[in-house]
Amino acid sequence: MPRLIEYADAPPDVRAVFDDIKATRRVPDVTNFWKALAAHPPTLARTWESLKQVMAPGGALDPLTKEMLYLAASATAGCAYCTASHTAAARAKGMTDAMHGELLAVVGMAAETNRLAEAMRVPVDAPFDE
Amino acid sequence: MPRLIEYADAPPDVRAVFDDIKATRRVPDVTNFWKALAAHPPTLARTWESLKQVMAPGGALDPLTKEMLYLAASATAGCAYCTASHTAAARAKGMTDAMHGELLAVVGMAAETNRLAEAMRVPVDAPFDE
Amino acid sequence: MPRLIEYADAPPDVRAVFDDIKATRRVPDVTNFWKALAAHPPTLARTWESLKQVMAPGGALDPLTKEMLYLAASATAGCAYCTASHTAAARAKGMTDAMHGELLAVVGMAAETNRLAEAMRVPVDAPFDE
Amino acid sequence: MPRLIEYADAPPDVRAVFDDIKATRRVPDVTNFWKALAAHPPTLARTWESLKQVMAPGGALDPLTKEMLYLAASATAGCAYCTASHTAAARAKGMTDAMHGELLAVVGMAAETNRLAEAMRVPVDAPFDE
Amino acid sequence: MPRLIEYADAPPDVRAVFDDIKATRRVPDVTNFWKALAAHPPTLARTWESLKQVMAPGGALDPLTKEMLYLAASATAGCAYCTASHTAAARAKGMTDAMHGELLAVVGMAAETNRLAEAMRVPVDAPFDE
Amino acid sequence: MPRLIEYADAPPDVRAVFDDIKATRRVPDVTNFWKALAAHPPTLARTWESLKQVMAPGGALDPLTKEMLYLAASATAGCAYCTASHTAAARAKGMTDAMHGELLAVVGMAAETNRLAEAMRVPVDAPFDE
């Protein structure tokens, strides 16, 4: 397990990022992911700035849709931590049990057809390849 | 490349599935994926029935959201055929360039944080693990 | 594309491996995989020795079963070259169209249930975890 | 961890699937995978119907070979739950220690040559690409 | 294939990123990756800023080592484009044929032992888990 | 969990490999990976011989660089055991916290650009494809 750096033990540059995460997300503490990343402050700062920009409200996709896309990608990649944390985040943004069930069904079905398409080496249809 | 079975050369059980795909999707022909799967009719029939059920309208998620989740999963899995075909399908259901750009940004960001979380072996936060 | 080293242009240590591959498999030439690996003779020799040992007849699994397991693993890993070459190798060892169709069905189904099990973070059943 | 739905707490549609799993597999209870899937009854029913069809006896591949292919795919995909459960299932169908050892050797060797083939971007040999 | 946006057709915000890439890398034109990313200018700008920071000289790892790590990660992930472009980049920074051969050997060996460790579900040794 | 075979309980062929691992690495005991592999002595012997050759000193890459490449590949493949053990091995060979942080940053960045390049299906630039 990685060393998790708590706010009380963090240097100023780490605290500044933790403060921004807490203010942006309106949470009392950051999650373990950020406490682990804090071992390398430049990566902590860069990753947070990037994530904040990607997930910012006001874009073409609403926040719940973005969060469910994040969850679908994480579940496909098989990252247990990310699946757990983004399931929680999506629920906090309004994902119901029924929506979660359908999301998982799509992820599972995609995994099956992805493998079949690759295992058969299906050529891309001409209209999709323009 | 796989042998692609055209409607004219297909046996009756394959034609029946092709007919249902064309009617359900209101398209003049099935894509290469189905023509390749037709080499094994039981897998063709089962996969189509399963996909039709998963992507059926009237659920908790709207068709465009499901299609974008399918695309996010396919892009994460690195399936070129599936990425091409589901990008086309999502566009046909209303995905704009801006939505596509944000979807890709989420998929890319998820890939980065997925790897970082796994590479650091971050323990799941207690509240997410209930 | 990698540089492919043909027998006529190969140094003696590469030729010795090519000769052993051709004799063991009773083929007139080695495939592109070995011609590409020949750019680094130690890796060529080590990989062939390892593969020859793993795929040697006389073990607990018959050669066709091993070849189909190799194909299932390659299709799951999404390696197009390996899927193509091991499909050909399995056919040469007796894999029929029906067997190929069932193999693909298992690979596809495994991909779906693998994703679902990981996406739900299902705990291993106690009897399987001893 | 997901909520696991026990038979006693399950609604009728879930119980019907559980009953069919227990009867088909001749087991006293379903595994955690099915108890977790039961949170979304349509996915439970569809996944079981699909799996039952794919793994049904009487096809071109015998049940042990199918189970070992499932295990090879699951091990390649890195799904710990699936690897554990399909190892147990394959052993129940007759996989010996020696067969398991050889299966793992093939899976490991495939992983190595898959990566090498992709890392070198080896072009598919002409005879395999017809 | 994606639409590739050339400098001559690019809007000012895209040109500014292209100019910075060309100046930083001292190249006459950007690669296809950046021309494709330019379809979504915020992702283009964010990705370049992030990559520039990660690959900046003056850190604890020298530029060639970083480039080879990038290549090892890309080859492991099976990204053909990235493998091709980072092989070229590593060669430009001094990777010899012998170094490339050893890098591929490590990537292949890691793939094999990664699969074996996961397929056997080996518990992490106590000293590594502190 | 797999059965772990301790030296005291191992047959002579397994002990011989364990002895060579301990002598080569100058360690008092082998790690769990080898104790698990010992269930299939031919795979134990072959894997160790292969790994010993790949990681042998005296090549074009120094031992620390090879170990970091191994770690980058293992982290990308998402193997928790391998990530833990190769992080320890790289630290033992001189990887500092700063080097580890930069390695993780490269692995994360590669994951993001790998996905973006594949999701956009970027064509390989002509100069890289020779």
Side-chain angles (χ1 to χ4, degrees), chain A residues 76 78 83 108 111-112 115-116 118-119, chain C residues 76 78 83 108 111-112 115 118-119:
Chain A
T76 299
T83 299
E112 182 169 15
R115 273 323 103 202
L116 289 171
E118 293 211 314
Chain C
T76 300
T83 299
E112 182 168 16
R115 274 323 103 202
E118 293 212 314

Side-chain angles (χ1 to χ4, degrees), chain A residues 73-105:
Chain A
S74 300
T76 299
C79 176
Y81 179 84
C82 313
T83 299
S85 62
H86 288 282
T87 298
R91 286 192 182 284
K93 287 177 180 163
M95 181 178 72
T96 63
D97 281 354
M99 293 163 81
H100 189 211
E102 293 185 17
L103 180 152
L104 291 178

Side-chain angles (χ1 to χ4, degrees), chain A residues 129, chain D residues 121, chain E residues 1-6 30-37 80-82 84-85, chain F residues 116-129:
Chain A
D129 208 19
Chain D
R121 298 193 301 132
Chain E
M1 293 211 325
R3 187 165 52 104
L4 299 178
I5 297 174
E6 300 293 338
V30 303
T31 54
N32 288 344
F33 177 70
W34 304 107
K35 293 177 184 176
L37 267 187
Y81 179 83
C82 314
S85 61
Chain F
L116 289 171
E118 293 212 315
M120 297 187 300
R121 298 194 299 132
V122 182
V124 173
D125 300 78
F128 303 158
D129 209 18

Side-chain angles (χ1 to χ4, degrees), chain B residues 74-81 83-84 87 100 104-105 107-109 111-113 115-116 118-121, chain F residues 74-81 83-84 87 100 104-105 107-109 111-113 115-116 118-121:
Chain B
S74 300
T76 299
C79 177
Y81 179 84
T83 299
T87 298
H100 188 212
L104 292 178
V107 164
M109 199 68 218
E112 182 169 15
T113 56
R115 273 322 105 201
L116 289 171
E118 293 212 314
M120 299 187 300
R121 299 194 300 132
Chain F
S74 299
T76 300
C79 175
Y81 179 84
T83 298
T87 297
H100 189 212
L104 291 178
V107 164
M109 199 69 218
E112 182 169 15
T113 57
R115 274 322 104 203
L116 289 171
E118 293 212 315
M120 297 187 300
R121 298 194 299 132

Side-chain angles (χ1 to χ4, degrees), chain C residues 59-61 66, chain D residues 68 91 94-105, chain F residues 39-43:
Chain C
L61 297 172
K66 276 191 193 168
Chain D
M68 291 194 298
R91 285 192 183 284
M95 182 178 71
T96 63
D97 281 355
M99 293 163 81
H100 189 211
E102 293 185 17
L103 181 153
L104 292 178
Chain F
H40 195 241
T43 302

Side-chain angles (χ1 to χ4, degrees), chain A residues 3-23:
Chain A
R3 187 164 50 105
L4 300 177
I5 296 174
E6 299 293 337
Y7 190 89
D9 307 318
D13 55 348
V14 167
R15 283 192 181 187
V17 176
F18 281 13
D19 283 335
D20 192 38
I21 295 173
K22 293 193 286 186

